[in-house]
């Protein structure tokens, strides 16, 4: 007889609180207003305030008395310090990101997959004076939107990609027609064949991006390196050269991560 999974008591409240916590941390040191948090989390203002107050009591978030904005709390720093020993690979990636920026003259980034999103961990400016500011440390995008998330999603198993697209039918309405299921699947297939992702100004017009997945020891795409710059710097010939440099750095970082965790 097939067993039916028993719902975990309080799971909905935990999921809502976790969603708010991610939104607060994405806001960084400037903080985020309550109304903005409630709307982004699809909660009523009163429910959002109640959950944030509970998180504040545990030190996970804080509230600036003057601006009334919510921001990360001190306990997050302590928890992050402990978790960093296992999950933080920015020290391994830093010089590779810097090398990528130097060799391409474009802004280079290192992002990590967190559930259905990517989070930018490192940014290194290139020498070219005109830059794109779509991405910076702490900025999150859904998988399949920015070039880093597109590269990661492309190299996930097919059943994981199918499940992700089923969970997020809002991608098209939130990010434009190019993020509907059919065009997104086309870009995923192109990414897998090419080896790296191309974002032709789909987030901000005129701001292009390339992304390459970085893999763990088991071959899972858990991170990504990416480049962004203005459109005229990403013509076909130079784009191919940038892609080769990007893939070489991504392969180097994948090998470094695998060797460091043996």
């Amino acid at each position: 007889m097939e067993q039916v999974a028993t719902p975990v008591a309080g799971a909905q409240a935990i999921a809502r609180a976790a969603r708010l916590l991610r939104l607060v941390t994405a806001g960084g040191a400037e903080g985020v207003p309550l109304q903005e948090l409630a709307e982004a989390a699809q909660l009523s203002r009163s429910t959002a305030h109640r959950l944030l107050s509970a998180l504040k009591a545990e030190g996970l978030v804080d509230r600036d008395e003057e601006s009334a904005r919510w921001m990360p709390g001190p306990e997050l720093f302590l928890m992050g310090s402990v978790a960093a020993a296992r999950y933080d690979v920015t020290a391994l990636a830093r010089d590779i990101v810097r090398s990528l920026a130097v060799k391409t003259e474009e802004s280079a980034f290192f992002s990590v997959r967190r559930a259905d999103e990517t989070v930018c961990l490192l940014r290194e400016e290139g020498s070219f004076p005109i830059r794109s500011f779509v991405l910076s440390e702490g900025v999150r995008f859904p998988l399949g939107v920015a070039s880093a998330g597109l590269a990661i999603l492309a190299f996930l198993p097919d059943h994981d990609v199918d499940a992700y697209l089923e969970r997020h039918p809002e991608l098209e309405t939130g990010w434009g027609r190019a993020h509907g299921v059919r065009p997104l699947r086309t870009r995923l297939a192109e990414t897998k064949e090419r080896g790296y992702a191309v974002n032709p100004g789909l987030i901000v017009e005129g701001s292009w991006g390339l992304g390459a997945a970085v893999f763990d020891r088991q071959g899972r795409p858990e991170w990504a390196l990416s480049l962004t710059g203005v459109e005229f710097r990403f013509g076909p010939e130079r784009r191919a050269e940038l892609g080769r440099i990007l893939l070489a750095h991504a392969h180097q970082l994948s090998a470094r991560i695998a060797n460091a965790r043996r």
Side-chain angles (χ1 to χ4, degrees), residues 19 22 112-119 140-143:
R19 173 65 173 158
R22 287 194 293 270
V112 62
R113 179 189 176 193
R114 286 290 177 262
D116 286 353
E117 298 178 314
T118 56
V119 186
R140 295 170 178 262
F141 282 107
L143 293 177

Side-chain angles (χ1 to χ4, degrees), residues 38-62:
E39 291 175 358
Q42 297 181 324
L43 298 172
S44 68
R45 186 184 176 95
S46 60
T47 298
H49 187 271
R50 175 172 55 81
L51 291 170
L52 288 166
S53 298
L55 292 170
K56 183 177 184 294
E58 299 297 330
L60 295 170
V61 300
D62 204 355

Side-chain angles (χ1 to χ4, degrees), residues 7-22:
V8 179
Q12 185 182 49
I14 292 172
R16 288 175 169 177
R19 173 65 173 158
L20 284 171
L21 194 56
R22 287 194 293 270

Side-chain angles (χ1 to χ4, degrees), residues 68-139:
R69 288 173 170 258
W70 294 86
M71 53 197 63
E75 281 296 326
L76 284 183
F77 172 78
L78 299 175
M79 291 179 176
S81 298
V82 175
R86 180 176 183 186
Y87 294 106
D88 184 19
V89 296
T90 55
L92 298 175
R94 195 174 300 277
D95 68 311
I96 291 179
V97 176
R98 186 175 298 115
S99 170
L100 186 58
V102 169
K103 290 184 177 180
T104 64
E105 301 181 341
E106 308 295 347
S107 298
F109 309 87
F110 177 58
S111 300
V112 62
R113 179 189 176 193
R114 286 290 177 262
D116 286 353
E117 298 178 314
T118 56
V119 186
C120 180
L121 299 179
L122 293 173
R123 174 182 177 126
E124 190 73 31
E125 299 292 359
S127 60
F128 190 72
I130 303 176
R131 297 167 183 165
S132 168
F133 292 94
V134 174
L135 196 58
S136 59
E137 288 93 338
V139 172

